[in-house]
Amino acid sequence: MKAVAKQDAAGAGGAPAAKAITLIEAITQALAWEMRHDDSVVVLGEDVGVNGGVFRATAGLQQQFGPMRVLDTPLDETTIAGLTVGMAAMGMKPVAEAQFDGFIYPMLDHIICHAVRFRYRTRGRLTCPMVLRVPWGGGIRAPEHHSEANEAMFTNVPGLRVVMPSSPARAYGMLLAAIREPDPVIYFEPKRIYRQYKEVVPDDGEALPLDVCYVLRDGSDVTLVTWGAQVKETLEAAEQLEAEGISAEVIDVATLKPLDFATIAESVARTGRCVIVHEAPKTAGFGAEIAARLASESMYDLLAPVERVTGYDTHMPLFRLEMKYMPSTARIVEAAKRTLAAS
Amino acid sequence: MKAVAKQDAAGAGGAPAAKAITLIEAITQALAWEMRHDDSVVVLGEDVGVNGGVFRATAGLQQQFGPMRVLDTPLDETTIAGLTVGMAAMGMKPVAEAQFDGFIYPMLDHIICHAVRFRYRTRGRLTCPMVLRVPWGGGIRAPEHHSEANEAMFTNVPGLRVVMPSSPARAYGMLLAAIREPDPVIYFEPKRIYRQYKEVVPDDGEALPLDVCYVLRDGSDVTLVTWGAQVKETLEAAEQLEAEGISAEVIDVATLKPLDFATIAESVARTGRCVIVHEAPKTAGFGAEIAARLASESMYDLLAPVERVTGYDTHMPLFRLEMKYMPSTARIVEAAKRTLAAS
Amino acid sequence: MRIAASFEIEYLQYLAPDGTLAADLPPQAPAADEVLELFRRMLFLRTFDGKAVALQRTGKLGTYAPCLGHEATQIGIGAMMRPEDVLAPSYREYGAQIMRGVQLREILLYWGGDERGNDYRNEPARHDFPWAVPIATQCLHAAGAALAFKLRGEKRVAVTCCGDGGSSKSDTYAAINAAGAYALPFVQCIINNGWAISVPRSAQTGARTLAQKGLAGGLHCLQVDGNDLFAVLEGMRRAMERARAGEGGTVIEFLTYRLHDHTTADDARRYRDEAEVKDAWTRDPVARLRTWLTAQGLWDEAREEEWIAECTRQVDAEIDAYLGTKSQPPEAMFDYLYADPPPDILEQRAQLLALEGRA
Amino acid sequence: MRIAASFEIEYLQYLAPDGTLAADLPPQAPAADEVLELFRRMLFLRTFDGKAVALQRTGKLGTYAPCLGHEATQIGIGAMMRPEDVLAPSYREYGAQIMRGVQLREILLYWGGDERGNDYRNEPARHDFPWAVPIATQCLHAAGAALAFKLRGEKRVAVTCCGDGGSSKSDTYAAINAAGAYALPFVQCIINNGWAISVPRSAQTGARTLAQKGLAGGLHCLQVDGNDLFAVLEGMRRAMERARAGEGGTVIEFLTYRLHDHTTADDARRYRDEAEVKDAWTRDPVARLRTWLTAQGLWDEAREEEWIAECTRQVDAEIDAYLGTKSQPPEAMFDYLYADPPPDILEQRAQLLALEGRA
Ligand SMILES: Cc1ncc(C[n+]2csc(CCOP(=O)(O)OP(=O)(O)O)c2C)c(N)n1
Ligand SMILES: Cc1ncc(C[n+]2csc(CCOP(=O)(O)OP(=O)(O)O)c2C)c(N)n1
Ligand SMILES: [Mg+2]
Ligand SMILES: [Mg+2]
């Protein structure tokens, strides 16, 4: 599956009448495609049926595929996770929706103790091809527990794949890949940019790889590494830096686990500087893993200390202060300049 | 609470008739001391009562303090976590036991969504002074799920304290501190060294700080950083290195969150080299955070790439292969030498 | 056929939907003037609820979960608790909370995105649990509180609420199980309003009643008409007395209806038949009690008008207090994180202040 | 008094502890020769169990969870399943598993620290779930399997087991709830052997029976004498028929007793009265059925001696196969991790090989 895929597939396909869609519409489009082409794909979660999901990601799917393919579940995340594992072990391809990032903790036991272990535990006799879709992160003025950036805790779990698309095209291609993947995938959806912009995404069933980072912008002075909704601020920062004559490369990690470190290392080998941007708290956030690999595998390339621009090591505040919590464009620009001043 | 405490308190106190005890006996001793001196301390968990815990950490406590202070719980980790939070919010100091590391995942929801948030959420009106004791790690030829090193997932959680003692004296002093701490503490117990050796630990009620690393051995060529049961192999590695004329400093992190990075940085400033050793899988293990901070705060001190010697990014195998999974003395020695060859 | 065990679950209803008595009032029913006072609280709650929705619609409040239709259940639950008891609510039990001293401005602050809303200033709410958004987790906290009371020998009861959706949650089952295992002074209120966002009660479980979930843990079980204040009070009275007498916990299912959308972020027309809502209005808890009180000669249109005006004044004053509350400074996100904040946290706090130009 | 709902839970027992009939055998009871065959399996299981414990005591096996006393329950459960059904066991249901083709060498490999023990080679076990150590998580997997069967229109039943301790676990409640909500072909066997390690059944819950946990989800509930093979078979028959007929799930509580320590790592004398164990032996499922079969003229000491000798031969052959199985090479820990292993994993695998001098 590994491939040099630095560009989105968008626009490349020959599907008819492709129209511009948002990130969340791309998710719906991918679900529908795969459900049309694979009978074993089943969608389940709270309010995913008639209501089409609280974010409308599954809008219309129950009407299209019926209540035996799109299932509302009882209100219990343990139930959703456990059912999903059981269904997957029996040869279905369940795509479960977590309603919000803050409600996934009761699912961890079944993911960590079972989903990622069935293949290993039974020496390949049973497997667990499931996808857990998780609307992720802050910035939508939602109530408590609706704005968590908790991807890091999954990245230490063996056997898992953890991805987070940040564009409509990547959302489409990576969701198709996630459903087709024979092992469990956590698919984080940056909800702040669900409807940020539209992009033409041909509905051609073309999957994207689940193990490559995307270089969104080339640059030569500093490498900005990020994922999810922060792609927005990071690209803005790169533009501001350009205005000041600083050339920033922007990498969307997109696939956190397994990590395509080669793409990051190659960039840092050229720039000598790296700023890692993420919304989750700094300490032991996934940025730490990237910085750690730089410290060991790219040490001699580094011209300046690795910077991390992240959420603070406190809780995501209620919404009056949430934007003060998150990495801002200004903080990214400042950190990038620090790396340039350092050497 | 921050203090320069590079030596154990062992031997320093004036308590009568101190005798040499194992790490697990030190835990029992600390529980008994604190229960004698604070009526609000209550111990709960599966089999902690008459049976004294499957590892015997609570042996004798129910006889001493009665069934209203030492409670067997129904067999449900969600229950244990939720009851603990509720009791703590009502002014008790519950010390909950998880029977094994592999069974704590159903507890995460109450820890992450509530225990660490009550103070924050209510602006100090309610708090959650609780301790979760978790027998941790592999190497005892136990069945599946009894040998997990899952500390990293807690370290990205704001408001939590995460500690792991690796000697009887530290086990005693840090458990007292954990119980007295007004905020929730995850107290990991490296079960492989529960009975590794005995040490005189005066039963004097003296707590140790919860935010310092311990320098177990001074050295000048390379800094070996570790925690938990791997302290054993790391100290052995330091001895082997010494025999080859290499002076290794050994730091027991002991308190993972908050991290006393200053002690590590100070050491690396002198040695210029760092090997981080842990049992958990490498990717996004807590070693990543330490390496990341070195990459950003100690970059100019580093004379060689930071090395991580860790468990592999796979599941802890069943016991026939478990020792092949864990960082061995040989792997640590080899990594240390690599850092010396590098510069 | 040998029978291992058999069970019966009682149903309580005194006031029929049309406001006439369906059964003799229980001997312990409160005096008419006390009932009148509770009715006033129901109207107060409804006044507040409507204004909170309006505030949200005009952008002055975040997402808000209305309690329209739940007035009898909520006010009745709060009314039967003593100050020393403890309440562990979900996110919707304003009525019960108001009875315990929670201020409207606190409710508004919380839904307005400000943590201070959970810092209830008045007793006895001050020792109650805050709103719990993760469904039903509060049920286990209440069981933990009840366990603390029992271990300390205190005569206090822990009362908790969850919805029909919440009754499916592992935590609710766990709380019921623990309450039974330890014979705790614990009351699990299951507020069955027919819907969990878009999922109807029928899709949550195959159980005939939600009350019977208590049987799984050996608790006492009751089903009551949650739109009948008398039934709510009587059900709660029995449960609280049992708990105080050391006889253990009770699960009460309150049958009511969510007359509004789930929250202001929801549009129930997507999944719910308007006819069902219309029908539910015929069982409105407020109208029903009004009819009865009017028949008793204790209420009339003039008194209602006067009282609504008074409610409006009080609610508006609280709204003003809410709107006049300045946001916390950004560094508040670091406060109350740890009793004893570690250096890294203090450093990040300083960084934030510097960024704000206030270093 | 108005009753919202009422319930009765039936208790099944046919063979009394003394081996005489306590009630007429059910019409659907298997013929005597079939019963005899199942009795032979019970003896086979007991022979294996004793030898497994001995293997552990001599250092040739890791921690092992014996099934002494559970023979009638386990063999009966396995006997009533069809090949196309699926079993999601805990860690102790060897009897049911053997009925489905799991080999003794596989059981031994698993407890001997080798993942290959879970790679059941024989049908129909090959599509069953592996042992589940995290208590009761398998119950939800069975519910998920049952949901898959229902969605695909397959006439298959998912059967799962947990203990009395496991009946307290959130997952068990969740499975029961889901089975009721979706009306699944699901059978939850609660094997009440009196103890969860050191915690007695009485400390797990306030419920009078464990069977009644099914009421919480609207499932059918049964309590059976788990030491009476006839009762086990009849209880399972009813549950399986209901499930196959699309009538939904059943919870069956099997009353049995853990005659051994919890595992070979446990010492039950620390917490359990020897007198209780002695008393439990008077209800031994094997002795009871032996008495009945002997009374029928179908069994005697000579036949028992001969069969035990045969069991010993078969078990010993399996033990030899186990002891003769070479450990997996260390790099096996990287295999079967991902279908498509990422480069980092392949690199770590290569590092391990290099360390082993096999690069
Ligand atoms: C653990 C968890 N999962 C999902 C949600 C999202 N959610 C909020 S309210 C709700 C429905 C609750 O329904 P019910 O329990 O009946 O209470 P009601 O809202 O009707 O009062 C859901 C699914 C949540 N808050 N917590
Ligand atoms: C989630 C979880 N918590 C704790 C344990 C440790 N443990 C193993 S067996 C057991 C007791 C189980 O008792 P029961 O369910 O009655 O089954 P039995 O062993 O009697 O067959 C416990 C606590 C575990 N395996 N999983
Ligand atoms: Mg509801
Ligand atoms: Mg048991």
Side-chain angles (χ1 to χ4, degrees):
Chain A
M1 170 169 294
K2 172 78 180 172
V4 182
K6 298 199 169 191
Q7 297 301 322
D8 287 358
K19 65 178 175 58
I21 54 178
T22 61
L23 196 155
I24 191 159
E25 286 166 345
I27 288 167
T28 315
Q29 180 171 301
L31 288 171
W33 171 281
E34 206 58 11
M35 292 184 79
R36 273 199 308 278
H37 292 84
D38 183 349
D39 278 351
S40 65
V41 178
V42 165
V43 165
L44 73 164
E46 294 156 6
D47 302 289
V48 298
V50 177
N51 198 37
V54 293
F55 286 107
R56 329 280 313 119
T58 58
L61 294 182
Q62 194 179 67
Q63 287 91 315
Q64 238 176 300
F65 299 99
M68 303 295 267
R69 301 285 302 283
V70 183
L71 284 83
D72 280 330
T73 61
L75 206 178
D76 186 52
E77 281 70 15
T78 305
T79 301
I80 298 174
L83 291 179
T84 299
V85 168
M87 293 165 83
M90 290 296 110
M92 303 203 90
K93 291 189 175 173
V95 182
E97 174 177 301
Q99 199 158 79
F100 283 91
D101 35 58
F103 306 137
I104 60 176
Y105 306 112
M107 297 178 152
L108 289 178
D109 191 43
H110 281 276
I111 293 167
I112 298 175
C113 290
H114 298 296
V116 298
R117 290 189 199 229
F118 267 19
R119 177 187 300 282
Y120 178 90
R121 172 181 294 154
T122 66
R123 307 278 88 189
R125 183 172 65 80
L126 296 182
T127 62
C128 203
M130 58 168 276
V131 178
L132 176 64
R133 292 182 37 243
V134 185
W136 170 97
I140 63 159
R141 296 180 68 80
E144 216 178 345
H145 304 283
H146 290 64
S147 306
E148 317 300 307
N150 42 20
E151 68 276 20
M153 65 192 319
F154 291 96
T155 52
N156 189 229
V157 176
L160 199 58
R161 291 182 188 267
V162 182
V163 306
M164 191 169 340
S166 69
S167 76
R170 287 194 290 281
Y172 179 78
M174 288 169 65
L175 183 51
L176 289 178
I179 303 175
R180 294 172 196 171
E181 171 66 32
D183 291 303
V185 180
I186 312 288
Y187 180 93
F188 283 106
E189 303 172 0
K191 67 174 93 90
R192 179 158 61 95
I193 59 170
Y194 262 157
R195 298 178 171 86
Q196 190 197 352
Y197 64 94
K198 295 192 177 197
E199 186 176 41
V200 172
V201 184
D203 193 11
D204 54 8
E206 284 292 322
L208 286 170
L210 288 186
D211 54 1
V212 300
C213 294
Y214 292 82
V215 178
L216 300 186
R217 182 186 170 111
D218 293 322
S220 53
D221 295 329
V222 57
T223 304
L224 310 181
V225 177
T226 190
W227 55 89
Q230 271 61 42
V231 162
K232 180 173 177 290
E233 284 73 24
T234 306
L235 284 169
E236 281 169 16
E239 266 173 45
Q240 289 189 20
L241 289 165
E242 181 174 283
E244 303 188 41
I246 299 167
S247 164
E249 183 142 311
V250 175
I251 297 179
D252 174 11
V253 174
T255 58
L256 280 69
K257 185 183 178 78
L259 174 66
D260 168 22
F261 182 66
T263 296
I264 297 170
E266 186 275 324
S267 175
V268 173
R270 283 186 285 102
T271 63
R273 298 169 183 90
C274 187
V275 177
I276 303 163
V277 181
H278 63 67
E279 183 170 321
K282 178 181 180 186
T283 297
F286 188 65
E289 175 61 22
I290 296 172
R293 291 196 65 169
L294 290 170
S296 108
E297 298 169 45
S298 303
M299 227 294 280
Y300 299 113
D301 294 326
L302 287 174
L303 301 171
V306 177
E307 292 276 342
R308 286 187 280 169
V309 178
T310 69
Y312 298 108
D313 281 322
T314 181
H315 306 294
M316 169 64 80
L318 292 189
F319 67 75
R320 287 209 193 172
L321 298 181
E322 68 176 335
M323 296 315 290
K324 297 284 183 185
Y325 175 87
M326 291 201 276
S328 60
T329 306
R331 280 171 69 201
I332 303 167
V333 167
E334 195 183 276
K337 289 189 188 165
R338 264 200 308 274
T339 66
L340 280 143
S343 44
Chain B
M1 169 172 292
K2 172 79 180 171
V4 182
K6 299 200 167 188
Q7 297 300 321
D8 289 355
K19 66 178 174 60
I21 55 177
T22 61
L23 196 157
I24 192 160
E25 287 166 344
I27 287 167
T28 315
Q29 180 171 301
L31 288 171
W33 170 283
E34 205 59 12
M35 292 184 79
R36 275 198 308 277
H37 292 85
D38 183 349
D39 278 352
S40 64
V41 177
V42 165
V43 164
L44 72 162
E46 294 156 6
D47 302 290
V48 299
V50 177
N51 199 35
V54 293
F55 286 108
R56 329 280 312 120
T58 58
L61 294 182
Q62 194 180 67
Q63 287 91 317
Q64 239 177 300
F65 299 101
M68 301 295 267
R69 301 285 302 283
V70 183
L71 285 84
D72 280 330
T73 61
L75 206 177
D76 186 50
E77 281 70 17
T78 305
T79 301
I80 298 175
L83 291 179
T84 298
V85 168
M87 292 166 84
M90 292 294 112
M92 303 202 92
K93 290 188 175 172
V95 182
E97 174 176 303
Q99 199 157 79
F100 282 91
D101 33 59
F103 307 138
I104 61 177
Y105 306 112
M107 296 178 152
L108 289 178
D109 190 44
H110 282 276
I111 292 168
I112 298 175
C113 290
H114 297 297
V116 298
R117 292 191 198 228
F118 266 18
R119 177 186 300 283
Y120 179 90
R121 172 181 294 154
T122 67
R123 306 279 87 187
R125 183 172 65 80
L126 297 181
T127 61
C128 202
M130 61 167 274
V131 178
L132 176 63
R133 293 181 37 244
V134 184
W136 170 97
I140 63 160
R141 298 178 67 80
E144 215 179 344
H145 303 284
H146 289 64
S147 305
E148 315 301 306
N150 43 20
E151 68 276 20
M153 67 192 319
F154 291 96
T155 52
N156 191 232
V157 177
L160 199 57
R161 291 181 187 268
V162 182
V163 306
M164 189 167 343
S166 69
S167 77
R170 287 194 290 280
Y172 179 77
M174 288 170 63
L175 183 50
L176 289 177
I179 303 175
R180 293 172 196 170
E181 172 65 31
D183 291 303
V185 181
I186 312 287
Y187 180 94
F188 283 106
E189 304 173 0
K191 65 174 95 89
R192 179 158 61 95
I193 58 170
Y194 262 157
R195 299 178 171 85
Q196 189 198 354
Y197 64 93
K198 294 194 177 197
E199 185 176 44
V200 173
V201 184
D203 193 11
D204 55 8
E206 285 291 325
L208 286 171
L210 288 185
D211 54 0
V212 300
C213 295
Y214 292 83
V215 178
L216 300 185
R217 182 187 169 113
D218 294 322
S220 52
D221 295 328
V222 56
T223 303
L224 310 181
V225 176
T226 190
W227 55 89
Q230 271 61 39
V231 162
K232 181 172 177 292
E233 284 74 25
T234 307
L235 284 169
E236 280 169 16
E239 265 172 47
Q240 289 188 20
L241 289 164
E242 183 174 282
E244 304 188 40
I246 299 167
S247 165
E249 183 143 310
V250 175
I251 296 179
D252 174 10
V253 174
T255 58
L256 281 69
K257 187 184 176 77
L259 174 67
D260 168 22
F261 182 67
T263 296
I264 298 170
E266 187 274 325
S267 176
V268 174
R270 282 186 286 103
T271 63
R273 296 167 184 92
C274 187
V275 178
I276 302 164
V277 181
H278 63 68
E279 184 170 320
K282 178 180 181 186
T283 297
F286 188 65
E289 174 61 22
I290 295 171
R293 291 196 65 168
L294 290 171
S296 109
E297 298 169 46
S298 303
M299 230 284 286
Y300 298 114
D301 294 326
L302 287 173
L303 301 171
V306 176
E307 292 276 342
R308 286 187 281 169
V309 178
T310 70
Y312 297 108
D313 281 322
T314 180
H315 306 294
M316 168 65 80
L318 292 189
F319 66 77
R320 287 208 194 172
L321 297 180
E322 68 176 335
M323 296 313 292
K324 298 282 184 186
Y325 175 86
M326 293 203 274
S328 61
T329 306
R331 279 171 70 201
I332 302 167
V333 167
E334 193 184 276
K337 288 188 188 166
R338 264 200 308 273
T339 66
L340 280 143
S343 46
Chain C
M1 189 161 107
R2 281 163 74 179
I3 299 303
S6 57
F7 309 95
E8 273 189 345
I9 294 173
E10 194 176 343
Y11 173 76
L12 300 184
Q13 189 198 50
Y14 301 95
L15 198 57
D18 65 3
T20 63
L21 287 188
D24 287 347
L25 288 180
Q28 299 90 340
D33 59 330
E34 288 173 56
V35 176
L36 180 63
E37 185 46 38
L38 295 176
F39 177 68
R40 285 177 188 270
R41 304 312 297 164
M42 287 167 61
L43 285 177
F44 178 76
L45 180 60
R46 189 165 279 193
T47 307
F48 164 69
D49 195 58
K51 283 185 176 271
V53 171
L55 270 180
Q56 191 281 333
R57 301 290 190 227
T58 53
K60 292 185 187 129
L61 194 66
T63 302
Y64 170 79
C67 64
L68 189 69
H70 300 65
E71 295 84 356
T73 296
Q74 293 187 359
I75 297 291
I77 290 170
M80 294 310 287
M81 292 180 66
R82 294 192 190 157
E84 66 269 24
D85 298 332
V86 72
L87 178 67
S90 79
Y91 43 82
R92 205 190 286 281
E93 277 83 34
Y94 320 120
Q97 295 182 293
I98 289 170
M99 296 295 289
R100 299 193 45 83
V102 169
Q103 302 176 72
L104 302 188
R105 70 185 71 178
E106 290 164 349
I107 303 173
L108 295 170
L109 270 174
Y110 182 69
W111 294 104
D114 189 320
E115 286 81 0
R116 289 171 300 180
N118 268 321
D119 186 13
Y120 313 141
R121 308 308 303 181
N122 293 338
E123 292 294 349
R126 195 149 175 77
H127 66 252
D128 283 349
F129 284 84
W131 288 290
V133 169
I135 298 291
T137 46
Q138 70 277 7
C139 304
L140 264 174
H141 303 161
L147 182 52
F149 301 156
K150 177 157 183 164
L151 296 179
R152 289 193 299 230
E154 297 169 355
K155 278 237 169 303
R156 301 166 66 184
V157 183
V159 176
T160 187
C161 306
C162 75
D164 45 310
S167 78
S168 295
K169 189 102 185 304
S170 294
D171 300 75
T172 309
Y173 285 118
I176 289 170
N177 196 76
Y182 294 119
L184 298 180
F186 170 86
V187 179
Q188 173 69 57
C189 303
I190 299 181
I191 301 179
N192 177 356
N193 64 6
W195 293 88
I197 309 186
S198 72
V199 181
R201 147 70 181 85
S202 60
Q204 289 292 342
T205 173
R208 215 177 317 161
T209 70
L210 301 183
Q212 75 203 58
K213 303 209 169 195
L215 297 177
L219 300 203
H220 189 62
C221 306
L222 270 178
Q223 190 186 53
V224 318
D225 182 343
N227 291 336
D228 167 4
L229 182 71
F230 290 110
V232 173
L233 294 172
E234 174 62 10
M236 282 298 290
R237 187 193 62 75
R238 294 191 196 174
M240 300 300 280
E241 276 185 12
R242 277 178 54 83
R244 247 183 271 283
E247 290 164 18
T250 303
V251 172
I252 312 183
E253 175 184 6
F254 297 93
L255 292 165
T256 180
Y257 194 80
R258 197 193 79 203
L259 290 169
H260 209 287
D261 294 334
H262 168 66
T263 64
T264 52
D266 175 50
D267 179 0
R269 286 168 307 181
R270 277 212 293 263
Y271 52 78
R272 191 166 72 168
D273 201 334
E274 281 296 314
E276 180 183 303
V277 183
K278 225 176 130 189
D279 181 59
W281 270 107
T282 66
R283 293 182 301 280
D284 175 20
V286 169
R288 175 184 316 199
L289 193 54
R290 182 192 289 121
T291 305
W292 186 79
L293 285 168
T294 305
Q296 306 300 304
L298 292 167
W299 199 250
D300 56 33
E301 266 180 46
R303 275 184 269 198
E304 174 126 351
E305 215 164 277
E306 191 184 324
W307 174 242
I308 294 288
E310 172 58 22
C311 290
T312 303
R313 261 191 303 278
Q314 288 183 22
V315 171
D316 283 345
E318 286 291 301
I319 289 174
D320 287 346
Y322 157 67
L323 293 174
T325 303
K326 269 185 34 197
S327 287
Q328 300 174 99
E331 65 270 24
M333 72 177 77
F334 295 103
D335 300 335
Y336 308 106
L337 183 63
Y338 291 98
D340 183 13
D344 284 355
I345 293 295
L346 297 176
E347 197 186 310
Q348 291 186 5
R349 192 178 189 278
Q351 283 166 11
L352 175 64
L353 282 175
L355 217 68
E356 297 280 309
R358 297 195 291 117
Chain D
M1 190 160 105
R2 281 164 73 180
I3 300 301
S6 57
F7 308 94
E8 272 188 348
I9 295 173
E10 192 176 346
Y11 173 78
L12 300 184
Q13 189 197 48
Y14 301 95
L15 198 56
D18 66 4
T20 63
L21 287 188
D24 288 345
L25 288 181
Q28 298 90 340
D33 60 329
E34 289 174 57
V35 176
L36 181 64
E37 186 45 38
L38 295 176
F39 177 68
R40 285 176 189 271
R41 304 314 296 166
M42 287 167 62
L43 285 176
F44 178 77
L45 180 61
R46 188 166 280 193
T47 307
F48 164 70
D49 194 59
K51 284 186 176 269
V53 171
L55 269 181
Q56 190 281 333
R57 300 291 191 226
T58 54
K60 292 185 188 129
L61 193 67
T63 300
Y64 170 78
C67 66
L68 188 70
H70 299 66
E71 294 84 356
T73 296
Q74 293 186 0
I75 296 292
I77 290 170
M80 295 310 288
M81 292 180 66
R82 293 192 191 159
E84 66 270 25
D85 299 332
V86 72
L87 178 68
S90 79
Y91 43 82
R92 205 190 285 283
E93 277 83 37
Y94 320 120
Q97 295 181 292
I98 288 170
M99 297 296 290
R100 297 188 54 77
V102 170
Q103 302 177 73
L104 302 188
R105 69 186 71 178
E106 290 163 351
I107 304 173
L108 295 170
L109 270 174
Y110 182 69
W111 294 104
D114 190 319
E115 286 79 1
R116 289 171 299 179
N118 268 321
D119 186 13
Y120 313 142
R121 307 308 303 182
N122 293 337
E123 292 293 348
R126 195 151 174 77
H127 66 250
D128 284 349
F129 284 85
W131 288 290
V133 169
I135 298 290
T137 46
Q138 70 276 8
C139 304
L140 265 173
H141 303 162
L147 181 53
F149 301 156
K150 177 158 182 160
L151 296 179
R152 290 194 297 232
E154 298 169 353
K155 278 238 169 305
R156 300 166 66 184
V157 183
V159 176
T160 187
C161 305
C162 76
D164 44 309
S167 77
S168 295
K169 189 100 185 304
S170 295
D171 300 73
T172 310
Y173 285 117
I176 290 170
N177 196 77
Y182 294 118
L184 298 180
F186 169 86
V187 180
Q188 173 69 56
C189 303
I190 300 181
I191 301 182
N192 177 358
N193 64 6
W195 294 87
I197 310 187
S198 72
V199 181
R201 146 70 180 86
S202 60
Q204 288 294 341
T205 173
R208 217 178 313 161
T209 69
L210 301 183
Q212 76 202 55
K213 302 207 169 196
L215 298 176
L219 299 205
H220 188 63
C221 306
L222 270 180
Q223 191 186 51
V224 319
D225 183 341
N227 291 335
D228 167 5
L229 181 70
F230 290 109
V232 172
L233 294 172
E234 173 63 11
M236 281 299 291
R237 187 193 61 77
R238 295 193 196 173
M240 300 299 280
E241 277 185 12
R242 277 178 52 83
R244 247 182 273 281
E247 292 164 19
T250 302
V251 172
I252 313 184
E253 175 184 7
F254 297 93
L255 291 165
T256 181
Y257 194 80
R258 195 193 80 204
L259 290 169
H260 209 288
D261 294 334
H262 168 66
T263 65
T264 53
D266 175 50
D267 179 1
R269 287 167 308 181
R270 277 212 293 263
Y271 53 79
R272 190 166 74 165
D273 201 334
E274 282 297 314
E276 180 183 303
V277 182
K278 227 176 129 189
D279 181 59
W281 271 107
T282 67
R283 294 183 299 281
D284 175 20
V286 170
R288 175 183 315 198
L289 193 54
R290 182 191 290 120
T291 305
W292 185 80
L293 286 167
T294 306
Q296 307 300 303
L298 292 166
W299 199 248
D300 55 34
E301 265 178 44
R303 277 186 265 200
E304 173 127 353
E305 217 165 274
E306 192 184 322
W307 174 243
I308 293 288
E310 172 59 22
C311 290
T312 303
R313 261 190 304 278
Q314 287 184 23
V315 172
D316 284 346
E318 286 291 300
I319 288 174
D320 286 347
Y322 157 67
L323 293 174
T325 303
K326 268 182 42 192
S327 287
Q328 299 174 101
E331 65 271 24
M333 71 176 79
F334 295 102
D335 299 336
Y336 307 106
L337 183 62
Y338 292 97
D340 184 14
D344 285 355
I345 294 295
L346 297 175
E347 196 185 311
Q348 292 185 5
R349 191 178 189 280
Q351 282 166 14
L352 175 64
L353 283 176
L355 215 69
E356 298 279 308
R358 295 195 291 118

